[in-house]
Amino acid sequence: SQQGEEDPQALSIQEGENATMNCSYKTSINNLQWYRQNSGRGLVHLILIRSNEREKHSGRLRVTLDTSKKSSSLLITASRAADTASYFCAISSGSARQLTFGSGTQLTVLP
Amino acid sequence: GAGVSQSPSNKVTEKGKDVELRCDPISGHTALYWYRQSLGQGLEFLIYFQGNSAPDKSGLPSDRFSAERTGGSVSTLTIQRTQQEDSAVYLCASSLTIEQYFGPGTRLTVT
């Protein structure tokens, strides 16, 4: 299966702390994307990292990619209660345009 | 501008009935995707439309599922003879390049 596996499945932290989520996958990829989902409905695209990139930043988000280990991590710095959501990694591989999603990490940021 | 819209937002149907779910993509987006998300799970790819090309139906779980995209815009996902295991949130996404923009989803409950 190409599905990304995320860990931890759930993460609870205090406001102001950093949150780190990890994603592992099984095949070669074109790019890896991270999405956020609030309340089990629509997803919001956060950041994309291409297979030839090792690190990307966007605001309080930092994504790393290690293609040799087939893994990626998403770091949210100085977390806020509004960051509470489910976070998914999604993989694009081969000629397919559709994404293969991981099972997600449920992040809870306590005020 | 307007994002991806989906209707209805919620649908409750009896086992054995047919349902139609609608997706209005972002204007000008050439690609349209349908995904399904069961409770607490990641997204499962169903079908992908790109321009006037034949759709990629490789993710449809059975022949009870079908979809069409009229005029390269609006798409309808049809599930015939619904089963309880069809209960899920059905998400539509559209894209112009790599990043996918998701609608709020339709929560389908089969009783």
Side-chain angles (χ1 to χ4, degrees), chain B residues 62-100:
Chain B
S62 78
D63 59 8
R64 296 186 296 105
F65 288 72
S66 63
E68 62 178 22
R69 188 179 186 192
T70 54
S73 180
V74 172
S75 177
T76 302
L77 176 69
T78 300
I79 308 173
Q80 296 178 310
R81 304 180 304 281
T82 53
Q83 303 294 313
Q84 288 187 328
E85 60 263 29
D86 299 335
S87 295
V89 176
Y90 289 81
L91 291 154
C92 172
S94 69
S95 73
L96 189 57
T97 55
I98 295 175
E99 179 180 341
Q100 296 185 19

PDB file of all heavy atoms in Angstrom, chain B residues 62-100:
ATOM      1  N   SER B  62     -17.132  -0.288  -6.001  1.00  0.00           N
ATOM      2  CA  SER B  62     -18.002  -1.292  -6.633  1.00  0.00           C
ATOM      3  C   SER B  62     -18.729  -0.646  -7.797  1.00  0.00           C
ATOM      4  O   SER B  62     -18.670   0.577  -7.978  1.00  0.00           O
ATOM      5  CB  SER B  62     -19.010  -1.840  -5.611  1.00  0.00           C
ATOM      6  OG  SER B  62     -20.075  -0.925  -5.414  1.00  0.00           O
ATOM      7  N   ASP B  63     -19.423  -1.465  -8.579  1.00  0.00           N
ATOM      8  CA  ASP B  63     -20.146  -0.919  -9.738  1.00  0.00           C
ATOM      9  C   ASP B  63     -21.418  -0.189  -9.322  1.00  0.00           C
ATOM     10  O   ASP B  63     -22.149   0.311 -10.175  1.00  0.00           O
ATOM     11  CB  ASP B  63     -20.448  -2.028 -10.757  1.00  0.00           C
ATOM     12  CG  ASP B  63     -21.267  -3.159 -10.198  1.00  0.00           C
ATOM     13  OD1 ASP B  63     -21.755  -3.032  -9.040  1.00  0.00           O
ATOM     14  OD2 ASP B  63     -21.424  -4.179 -10.879  1.00  0.00           O
ATOM     15  N   ARG B  64     -21.694  -0.136  -8.034  1.00  0.00           N
ATOM     16  CA  ARG B  64     -22.832   0.670  -7.575  1.00  0.00           C
ATOM     17  C   ARG B  64     -22.474   2.162  -7.589  1.00  0.00           C
ATOM     18  O   ARG B  64     -23.359   3.007  -7.490  1.00  0.00           O
ATOM     19  CB  ARG B  64     -23.248   0.262  -6.161  1.00  0.00           C
ATOM     20  CG  ARG B  64     -23.773  -1.159  -6.047  1.00  0.00           C
ATOM     21  CD  ARG B  64     -24.294  -1.445  -4.642  1.00  0.00           C
ATOM     22  NE  ARG B  64     -23.256  -1.390  -3.625  1.00  0.00           N
ATOM     23  CZ  ARG B  64     -23.103  -0.389  -2.759  1.00  0.00           C
ATOM     24  NH1 ARG B  64     -23.943   0.650  -2.788  1.00  0.00           N
ATOM     25  NH2 ARG B  64     -22.138  -0.431  -1.856  1.00  0.00           N
ATOM     26  N   PHE B  65     -21.197   2.436  -7.687  1.00  0.00           N
ATOM     27  CA  PHE B  65     -20.716   3.816  -7.666  1.00  0.00           C
ATOM     28  C   PHE B  65     -20.421   4.283  -9.095  1.00  0.00           C
ATOM     29  O   PHE B  65     -19.772   3.564  -9.863  1.00  0.00           O
ATOM     30  CB  PHE B  65     -19.425   3.937  -6.847  1.00  0.00           C
ATOM     31  CG  PHE B  65     -19.607   3.804  -5.366  1.00  0.00           C
ATOM     32  CD1 PHE B  65     -19.907   2.577  -4.796  1.00  0.00           C
ATOM     33  CD2 PHE B  65     -19.482   4.909  -4.535  1.00  0.00           C
ATOM     34  CE1 PHE B  65     -20.070   2.454  -3.416  1.00  0.00           C
ATOM     35  CE2 PHE B  65     -19.635   4.798  -3.165  1.00  0.00           C
ATOM     36  CZ  PHE B  65     -19.933   3.570  -2.613  1.00  0.00           C
ATOM     37  N   SER B  66     -20.871   5.488  -9.417  1.00  0.00           N
ATOM     38  CA  SER B  66     -20.549   6.083 -10.706  1.00  0.00           C
ATOM     39  C   SER B  66     -20.503   7.588 -10.550  1.00  0.00           C
ATOM     40  O   SER B  66     -21.030   8.141  -9.579  1.00  0.00           O
ATOM     41  CB  SER B  66     -21.577   5.691 -11.771  1.00  0.00           C
ATOM     42  OG  SER B  66     -22.856   6.195 -11.424  1.00  0.00           O
ATOM     43  N   ALA B  67     -19.850   8.249 -11.481  1.00  0.00           N
ATOM     44  CA  ALA B  67     -19.781   9.701 -11.432  1.00  0.00           C
ATOM     45  C   ALA B  67     -19.693  10.240 -12.836  1.00  0.00           C
ATOM     46  O   ALA B  67     -19.200   9.566 -13.744  1.00  0.00           O
ATOM     47  CB  ALA B  67     -18.582  10.176 -10.608  1.00  0.00           C
ATOM     48  N   GLU B  68     -20.185  11.435 -12.994  1.00  0.00           N
ATOM     49  CA  GLU B  68     -20.048  12.122 -14.267  1.00  0.00           C
ATOM     50  C   GLU B  68     -19.727  13.582 -14.003  1.00  0.00           C
ATOM     51  O   GLU B  68     -19.984  14.114 -12.933  1.00  0.00           O
ATOM     52  CB  GLU B  68     -21.315  11.986 -15.104  1.00  0.00           C
ATOM     53  CG  GLU B  68     -22.567  12.584 -14.491  1.00  0.00           C
ATOM     54  CD  GLU B  68     -23.765  12.450 -15.423  1.00  0.00           C
ATOM     55  OE1 GLU B  68     -23.755  11.577 -16.304  1.00  0.00           O
ATOM     56  OE2 GLU B  68     -24.702  13.238 -15.251  1.00  0.00           O
ATOM     57  N   ARG B  69     -19.151  14.179 -15.016  1.00  0.00           N
ATOM     58  CA  ARG B  69     -18.827  15.597 -14.951  1.00  0.00           C
ATOM     59  C   ARG B  69     -19.306  16.235 -16.234  1.00  0.00           C
ATOM     60  O   ARG B  69     -18.780  15.950 -17.306  1.00  0.00           O
ATOM     61  CB  ARG B  69     -17.321  15.813 -14.779  1.00  0.00           C
ATOM     62  CG  ARG B  69     -16.974  17.263 -14.512  1.00  0.00           C
ATOM     63  CD  ARG B  69     -15.491  17.481 -14.329  1.00  0.00           C
ATOM     64  NE  ARG B  69     -15.237  18.856 -13.944  1.00  0.00           N
ATOM     65  CZ  ARG B  69     -14.030  19.416 -13.938  1.00  0.00           C
ATOM     66  NH1 ARG B  69     -12.965  18.706 -14.299  1.00  0.00           N
ATOM     67  NH2 ARG B  69     -13.890  20.672 -13.578  1.00  0.00           N
ATOM     68  N   THR B  70     -20.312  17.070 -16.118  1.00  0.00           N
ATOM     69  CA  THR B  70     -20.944  17.660 -17.291  1.00  0.00           C
ATOM     70  C   THR B  70     -20.287  18.983 -17.656  1.00  0.00           C
ATOM     71  O   THR B  70     -20.064  19.833 -16.775  1.00  0.00           O
ATOM     72  CB  THR B  70     -22.445  17.873 -17.030  1.00  0.00           C
ATOM     73  OG1 THR B  70     -22.596  18.630 -15.823  1.00  0.00           O
ATOM     74  CG2 THR B  70     -23.151  16.546 -16.859  1.00  0.00           C
ATOM     75  N   GLY B  71     -19.979  19.128 -18.927  1.00  0.00           N
ATOM     76  CA  GLY B  71     -19.439  20.396 -19.406  1.00  0.00           C
ATOM     77  C   GLY B  71     -18.130  20.788 -18.744  1.00  0.00           C
ATOM     78  O   GLY B  71     -17.776  21.971 -18.740  1.00  0.00           O
ATOM     79  N   GLY B  72     -17.419  19.825 -18.222  1.00  0.00           N
ATOM     80  CA  GLY B  72     -16.147  20.125 -17.584  1.00  0.00           C
ATOM     81  C   GLY B  72     -16.268  20.913 -16.309  1.00  0.00           C
ATOM     82  O   GLY B  72     -15.289  21.506 -15.833  1.00  0.00           O
ATOM     83  N   SER B  73     -17.469  20.937 -15.715  1.00  0.00           N
ATOM     84  CA  SER B  73     -17.651  21.729 -14.500  1.00  0.00           C
ATOM     85  C   SER B  73     -18.273  20.871 -13.407  1.00  0.00           C
ATOM     86  O   SER B  73     -17.582  20.079 -12.782  1.00  0.00           O
ATOM     87  CB  SER B  73     -18.495  22.961 -14.800  1.00  0.00           C
ATOM     88  OG  SER B  73     -18.674  23.739 -13.638  1.00  0.00           O
ATOM     89  N   VAL B  74     -19.578  20.985 -13.222  1.00  0.00           N
ATOM     90  CA  VAL B  74     -20.272  20.302 -12.138  1.00  0.00           C
ATOM     91  C   VAL B  74     -20.135  18.788 -12.264  1.00  0.00           C
ATOM     92  O   VAL B  74     -20.167  18.240 -13.374  1.00  0.00           O
ATOM     93  CB  VAL B  74     -21.756  20.693 -12.138  1.00  0.00           C
ATOM     94  CG1 VAL B  74     -22.550  19.855 -11.154  1.00  0.00           C
ATOM     95  CG2 VAL B  74     -21.908  22.175 -11.837  1.00  0.00           C
ATOM     96  N   SER B  75     -19.989  18.138 -11.107  1.00  0.00           N
ATOM     97  CA  SER B  75     -19.908  16.678 -11.088  1.00  0.00           C
ATOM     98  C   SER B  75     -20.955  16.108 -10.152  1.00  0.00           C
ATOM     99  O   SER B  75     -21.296  16.721  -9.134  1.00  0.00           O
ATOM    100  CB  SER B  75     -18.516  16.231 -10.636  1.00  0.00           C
ATOM    101  OG  SER B  75     -18.442  14.818 -10.551  1.00  0.00           O
ATOM    102  N   THR B  76     -21.454  14.937 -10.533  1.00  0.00           N
ATOM    103  CA  THR B  76     -22.408  14.222  -9.691  1.00  0.00           C
ATOM    104  C   THR B  76     -21.868  12.824  -9.417  1.00  0.00           C
ATOM    105  O   THR B  76     -21.484  12.114 -10.351  1.00  0.00           O
ATOM    106  CB  THR B  76     -23.773  14.104 -10.394  1.00  0.00           C
ATOM    107  OG1 THR B  76     -24.266  15.400 -10.696  1.00  0.00           O
ATOM    108  CG2 THR B  76     -24.771  13.386  -9.500  1.00  0.00           C
ATOM    109  N   LEU B  77     -21.844  12.466  -8.156  1.00  0.00           N
ATOM    110  CA  LEU B  77     -21.474  11.108  -7.737  1.00  0.00           C
ATOM    111  C   LEU B  77     -22.766  10.383  -7.382  1.00  0.00           C
ATOM    112  O   LEU B  77     -23.548  10.876  -6.562  1.00  0.00           O
ATOM    113  CB  LEU B  77     -20.535  11.148  -6.532  1.00  0.00           C
ATOM    114  CG  LEU B  77     -20.131   9.800  -5.921  1.00  0.00           C
ATOM    115  CD1 LEU B  77     -19.212   9.032  -6.877  1.00  0.00           C
ATOM    116  CD2 LEU B  77     -19.443   9.988  -4.576  1.00  0.00           C
ATOM    117  N   THR B  78     -22.990   9.255  -8.021  1.00  0.00           N
ATOM    118  CA  THR B  78     -24.218   8.484  -7.785  1.00  0.00           C
ATOM    119  C   THR B  78     -23.874   7.160  -7.130  1.00  0.00           C
ATOM    120  O   THR B  78     -22.956   6.464  -7.573  1.00  0.00           O
ATOM    121  CB  THR B  78     -24.954   8.218  -9.111  1.00  0.00           C
ATOM    122  OG1 THR B  78     -25.287   9.480  -9.722  1.00  0.00           O
ATOM    123  CG2 THR B  78     -26.238   7.436  -8.863  1.00  0.00           C
ATOM    124  N   ILE B  79     -24.592   6.846  -6.078  1.00  0.00           N
ATOM    125  CA  ILE B  79     -24.447   5.545  -5.421  1.00  0.00           C
ATOM    126  C   ILE B  79     -25.799   4.854  -5.534  1.00  0.00           C
ATOM    127  O   ILE B  79     -26.822   5.354  -5.041  1.00  0.00           O
ATOM    128  CB  ILE B  79     -24.052   5.683  -3.944  1.00  0.00           C
ATOM    129  CG1 ILE B  79     -22.824   6.589  -3.783  1.00  0.00           C
ATOM    130  CG2 ILE B  79     -23.766   4.304  -3.355  1.00  0.00           C
ATOM    131  CD1 ILE B  79     -22.472   6.901  -2.348  1.00  0.00           C
ATOM    132  N   GLN B  80     -25.792   3.709  -6.192  1.00  0.00           N
ATOM    133  CA  GLN B  80     -27.031   2.953  -6.355  1.00  0.00           C
ATOM    134  C   GLN B  80     -27.139   1.899  -5.258  1.00  0.00           C
ATOM    135  O   GLN B  80     -26.141   1.377  -4.764  1.00  0.00           O
ATOM    136  CB  GLN B  80     -27.040   2.278  -7.730  1.00  0.00           C
ATOM    137  CG  GLN B  80     -27.059   3.256  -8.896  1.00  0.00           C
ATOM    138  CD  GLN B  80     -27.017   2.548 -10.237  1.00  0.00           C
ATOM    139  OE1 GLN B  80     -26.170   1.675 -10.459  1.00  0.00           O
ATOM    140  NE2 GLN B  80     -27.921   2.913 -11.121  1.00  0.00           N
ATOM    141  N   ARG B  81     -28.393   1.607  -4.899  1.00  0.00           N
ATOM    142  CA  ARG B  81     -28.665   0.523  -3.937  1.00  0.00           C
ATOM    143  C   ARG B  81     -27.744   0.659  -2.731  1.00  0.00           C
ATOM    144  O   ARG B  81     -26.969  -0.245  -2.390  1.00  0.00           O
ATOM    145  CB  ARG B  81     -28.486  -0.840  -4.609  1.00  0.00           C
ATOM    146  CG  ARG B  81     -29.341  -1.014  -5.855  1.00  0.00           C
ATOM    147  CD  ARG B  81     -29.145  -2.377  -6.496  1.00  0.00           C
ATOM    148  NE  ARG B  81     -27.777  -2.682  -6.839  1.00  0.00           N
ATOM    149  CZ  ARG B  81     -27.130  -2.228  -7.901  1.00  0.00           C
ATOM    150  NH1 ARG B  81     -27.758  -1.414  -8.741  1.00  0.00           N
ATOM    151  NH2 ARG B  81     -25.879  -2.575  -8.144  1.00  0.00           N
ATOM    152  N   THR B  82     -27.824   1.777  -2.051  1.00  0.00           N
ATOM    153  CA  THR B  82     -26.908   2.084  -0.955  1.00  0.00           C
ATOM    154  C   THR B  82     -26.900   0.994   0.113  1.00  0.00           C
ATOM    155  O   THR B  82     -27.937   0.363   0.405  1.00  0.00           O
ATOM    156  CB  THR B  82     -27.254   3.426  -0.303  1.00  0.00           C
ATOM    157  OG1 THR B  82     -28.643   3.421   0.061  1.00  0.00           O
ATOM    158  CG2 THR B  82     -26.962   4.587  -1.222  1.00  0.00           C
ATOM    159  N   GLN B  83     -25.722   0.806   0.691  1.00  0.00           N
ATOM    160  CA  GLN B  83     -25.500  -0.137   1.781  1.00  0.00           C
ATOM    161  C   GLN B  83     -25.018   0.646   3.006  1.00  0.00           C
ATOM    162  O   GLN B  83     -24.517   1.766   2.875  1.00  0.00           O
ATOM    163  CB  GLN B  83     -24.445  -1.171   1.377  1.00  0.00           C
ATOM    164  CG  GLN B  83     -24.788  -1.937   0.121  1.00  0.00           C
ATOM    165  CD  GLN B  83     -26.006  -2.812   0.288  1.00  0.00           C
ATOM    166  OE1 GLN B  83     -26.121  -3.544   1.279  1.00  0.00           O
ATOM    167  NE2 GLN B  83     -26.931  -2.751  -0.658  1.00  0.00           N
ATOM    168  N   GLN B  84     -25.145   0.035   4.167  1.00  0.00           N
ATOM    169  CA  GLN B  84     -24.728   0.730   5.383  1.00  0.00           C
ATOM    170  C   GLN B  84     -23.245   1.084   5.359  1.00  0.00           C
ATOM    171  O   GLN B  84     -22.848   2.124   5.897  1.00  0.00           O
ATOM    172  CB  GLN B  84     -25.077  -0.101   6.615  1.00  0.00           C
ATOM    173  CG  GLN B  84     -26.570  -0.130   6.896  1.00  0.00           C
ATOM    174  CD  GLN B  84     -26.916  -0.806   8.198  1.00  0.00           C
ATOM    175  OE1 GLN B  84     -26.232  -1.718   8.624  1.00  0.00           O
ATOM    176  NE2 GLN B  84     -27.991  -0.354   8.824  1.00  0.00           N
ATOM    177  N   GLU B  85     -22.432   0.256   4.723  1.00  0.00           N
ATOM    178  CA  GLU B  85     -20.997   0.549   4.672  1.00  0.00           C
ATOM    179  C   GLU B  85     -20.665   1.736   3.767  1.00  0.00           C
ATOM    180  O   GLU B  85     -19.517   2.188   3.734  1.00  0.00           O
ATOM    181  CB  GLU B  85     -20.199  -0.677   4.213  1.00  0.00           C
ATOM    182  CG  GLU B  85     -20.560  -1.194   2.837  1.00  0.00           C
ATOM    183  CD  GLU B  85     -21.548  -2.347   2.880  1.00  0.00           C
ATOM    184  OE1 GLU B  85     -22.356  -2.404   3.831  1.00  0.00           O
ATOM    185  OE2 GLU B  85     -21.506  -3.170   1.958  1.00  0.00           O
ATOM    186  N   ASP B  86     -21.678   2.244   3.041  1.00  0.00           N
ATOM    187  CA  ASP B  86     -21.455   3.441   2.231  1.00  0.00           C
ATOM    188  C   ASP B  86     -21.497   4.711   3.084  1.00  0.00           C
ATOM    189  O   ASP B  86     -21.158   5.795   2.609  1.00  0.00           O
ATOM    190  CB  ASP B  86     -22.512   3.565   1.123  1.00  0.00           C
ATOM    191  CG  ASP B  86     -22.489   2.402   0.161  1.00  0.00           C
ATOM    192  OD1 ASP B  86     -21.434   1.752   0.018  1.00  0.00           O
ATOM    193  OD2 ASP B  86     -23.545   2.122  -0.454  1.00  0.00           O
ATOM    194  N   SER B  87     -21.932   4.582   4.321  1.00  0.00           N
ATOM    195  CA  SER B  87     -22.003   5.747   5.219  1.00  0.00           C
ATOM    196  C   SER B  87     -20.596   6.324   5.400  1.00  0.00           C
ATOM    197  O   SER B  87     -19.672   5.611   5.802  1.00  0.00           O
ATOM    198  CB  SER B  87     -22.576   5.354   6.576  1.00  0.00           C
ATOM    199  OG  SER B  87     -23.925   4.943   6.455  1.00  0.00           O
ATOM    200  N   ALA B  88     -20.465   7.606   5.103  1.00  0.00           N
ATOM    201  CA  ALA B  88     -19.160   8.276   5.155  1.00  0.00           C
ATOM    202  C   ALA B  88     -19.371   9.739   4.783  1.00  0.00           C
ATOM    203  O   ALA B  88     -20.476  10.154   4.432  1.00  0.00           O
ATOM    204  CB  ALA B  88     -18.181   7.630   4.171  1.00  0.00           C
ATOM    205  N   VAL B  89     -18.294  10.499   4.869  1.00  0.00           N
ATOM    206  CA  VAL B  89     -18.296  11.851   4.316  1.00  0.00           C
ATOM    207  C   VAL B  89     -17.660  11.776   2.928  1.00  0.00           C
ATOM    208  O   VAL B  89     -16.559  11.237   2.770  1.00  0.00           O
ATOM    209  CB  VAL B  89     -17.519  12.833   5.208  1.00  0.00           C
ATOM    210  CG1 VAL B  89     -17.454  14.213   4.553  1.00  0.00           C
ATOM    211  CG2 VAL B  89     -18.175  12.942   6.581  1.00  0.00           C
ATOM    212  N   TYR B  90     -18.363  12.292   1.937  1.00  0.00           N
ATOM    213  CA  TYR B  90     -17.877  12.284   0.562  1.00  0.00           C
ATOM    214  C   TYR B  90     -17.361  13.691   0.243  1.00  0.00           C
ATOM    215  O   TYR B  90     -18.102  14.668   0.303  1.00  0.00           O
ATOM    216  CB  TYR B  90     -18.984  11.850  -0.392  1.00  0.00           C
ATOM    217  CG  TYR B  90     -19.278  10.376  -0.238  1.00  0.00           C
ATOM    218  CD1 TYR B  90     -20.094   9.915   0.802  1.00  0.00           C
ATOM    219  CD2 TYR B  90     -18.698   9.434  -1.082  1.00  0.00           C
ATOM    220  CE1 TYR B  90     -20.335   8.559   0.981  1.00  0.00           C
ATOM    221  CE2 TYR B  90     -18.925   8.081  -0.915  1.00  0.00           C
ATOM    222  CZ  TYR B  90     -19.739   7.654   0.127  1.00  0.00           C
ATOM    223  OH  TYR B  90     -19.966   6.304   0.305  1.00  0.00           O
ATOM    224  N   LEU B  91     -16.089  13.756  -0.085  1.00  0.00           N
ATOM    225  CA  LEU B  91     -15.420  15.032  -0.311  1.00  0.00           C
ATOM    226  C   LEU B  91     -15.048  15.180  -1.773  1.00  0.00           C
ATOM    227  O   LEU B  91     -14.563  14.239  -2.403  1.00  0.00           O
ATOM    228  CB  LEU B  91     -14.159  15.130   0.552  1.00  0.00           C
ATOM    229  CG  LEU B  91     -14.425  15.253   2.055  1.00  0.00           C
ATOM    230  CD1 LEU B  91     -13.259  14.712   2.856  1.00  0.00           C
ATOM    231  CD2 LEU B  91     -14.660  16.705   2.427  1.00  0.00           C
ATOM    232  N   CYS B  92     -15.260  16.358  -2.276  1.00  0.00           N
ATOM    233  CA  CYS B  92     -14.893  16.701  -3.637  1.00  0.00           C
ATOM    234  C   CYS B  92     -13.771  17.725  -3.575  1.00  0.00           C
ATOM    235  O   CYS B  92     -13.726  18.563  -2.661  1.00  0.00           O
ATOM    236  CB  CYS B  92     -16.116  17.286  -4.341  1.00  0.00           C
ATOM    237  SG  CYS B  92     -15.803  17.971  -5.973  1.00  0.00           S
ATOM    238  N   ALA B  93     -12.856  17.658  -4.514  1.00  0.00           N
ATOM    239  CA  ALA B  93     -11.769  18.626  -4.604  1.00  0.00           C
ATOM    240  C   ALA B  93     -11.557  19.003  -6.061  1.00  0.00           C
ATOM    241  O   ALA B  93     -11.832  18.203  -6.962  1.00  0.00           O
ATOM    242  CB  ALA B  93     -10.485  18.067  -4.011  1.00  0.00           C
ATOM    243  N   SER B  94     -11.089  20.213  -6.286  1.00  0.00           N
ATOM    244  CA  SER B  94     -10.718  20.607  -7.641  1.00  0.00           C
ATOM    245  C   SER B  94      -9.327  21.214  -7.621  1.00  0.00           C
ATOM    246  O   SER B  94      -8.836  21.643  -6.573  1.00  0.00           O
ATOM    247  CB  SER B  94     -11.731  21.577  -8.249  1.00  0.00           C
ATOM    248  OG  SER B  94     -11.696  22.852  -7.619  1.00  0.00           O
ATOM    249  N   SER B  95      -8.693  21.205  -8.762  1.00  0.00           N
ATOM    250  CA  SER B  95      -7.351  21.790  -8.835  1.00  0.00           C
ATOM    251  C   SER B  95      -7.055  22.278 -10.238  1.00  0.00           C
ATOM    252  O   SER B  95      -7.643  21.814 -11.217  1.00  0.00           O
ATOM    253  CB  SER B  95      -6.292  20.776  -8.386  1.00  0.00           C
ATOM    254  OG  SER B  95      -6.108  19.770  -9.357  1.00  0.00           O
ATOM    255  N   LEU B  96      -6.120  23.228 -10.296  1.00  0.00           N
ATOM    256  CA  LEU B  96      -5.618  23.701 -11.582  1.00  0.00           C
ATOM    257  C   LEU B  96      -4.201  23.170 -11.802  1.00  0.00           C
ATOM    258  O   LEU B  96      -3.832  22.813 -12.916  1.00  0.00           O
ATOM    259  CB  LEU B  96      -5.620  25.225 -11.613  1.00  0.00           C
ATOM    260  CG  LEU B  96      -5.318  25.893 -12.940  1.00  0.00           C
ATOM    261  CD1 LEU B  96      -6.296  25.430 -14.011  1.00  0.00           C
ATOM    262  CD2 LEU B  96      -5.362  27.413 -12.804  1.00  0.00           C
ATOM    263  N   THR B  97      -3.444  23.103 -10.728  1.00  0.00           N
ATOM    264  CA  THR B  97      -2.087  22.560 -10.806  1.00  0.00           C
ATOM    265  C   THR B  97      -1.951  21.394  -9.829  1.00  0.00           C
ATOM    266  O   THR B  97      -2.583  20.367 -10.010  1.00  0.00           O
ATOM    267  CB  THR B  97      -1.040  23.649 -10.529  1.00  0.00           C
ATOM    268  OG1 THR B  97      -1.325  24.254  -9.264  1.00  0.00           O
ATOM    269  CG2 THR B  97      -1.070  24.722 -11.617  1.00  0.00           C
ATOM    270  N   ILE B  98      -1.172  21.576  -8.783  1.00  0.00           N
ATOM    271  CA  ILE B  98      -0.927  20.478  -7.845  1.00  0.00           C
ATOM    272  C   ILE B  98      -1.841  20.553  -6.631  1.00  0.00           C
ATOM    273  O   ILE B  98      -2.417  19.564  -6.195  1.00  0.00           O
ATOM    274  CB  ILE B  98       0.547  20.472  -7.397  1.00  0.00           C
ATOM    275  CG1 ILE B  98       1.462  20.180  -8.574  1.00  0.00           C
ATOM    276  CG2 ILE B  98       0.769  19.423  -6.303  1.00  0.00           C
ATOM    277  CD1 ILE B  98       2.941  20.264  -8.238  1.00  0.00           C
ATOM    278  N   GLU B  99      -1.963  21.750  -6.065  1.00  0.00           N
ATOM    279  CA  GLU B  99      -2.729  21.913  -4.835  1.00  0.00           C
ATOM    280  C   GLU B  99      -4.201  21.645  -5.086  1.00  0.00           C
ATOM    281  O   GLU B  99      -4.786  22.155  -6.044  1.00  0.00           O
ATOM    282  CB  GLU B  99      -2.542  23.327  -4.296  1.00  0.00           C
ATOM    283  CG  GLU B  99      -3.316  23.607  -3.037  1.00  0.00           C
ATOM    284  CD  GLU B  99      -3.088  25.030  -2.544  1.00  0.00           C
ATOM    285  OE1 GLU B  99      -2.088  25.635  -2.963  1.00  0.00           O
ATOM    286  OE2 GLU B  99      -3.916  25.522  -1.758  1.00  0.00           O
ATOM    287  N   GLN B 100      -4.800  20.836  -4.212  1.00  0.00           N
ATOM    288  CA  GLN B 100      -6.220  20.523  -4.337  1.00  0.00           C
ATOM    289  C   GLN B 100      -7.009  21.341  -3.330  1.00  0.00           C
ATOM    290  O   GLN B 100      -6.618  21.482  -2.176  1.00  0.00           O
ATOM    291  CB  GLN B 100      -6.452  19.025  -4.118  1.00  0.00           C
ATOM    292  CG  GLN B 100      -5.784  18.171  -5.183  1.00  0.00           C
ATOM    293  CD  GLN B 100      -6.107  16.696  -5.066  1.00  0.00           C
ATOM    294  OE1 GLN B 100      -7.080  16.302  -4.426  1.00  0.00           O
ATOM    295  NE2 GLN B 100      -5.285  15.877  -5.704  1.00  0.00           N
TER     296      GLN B 100
END
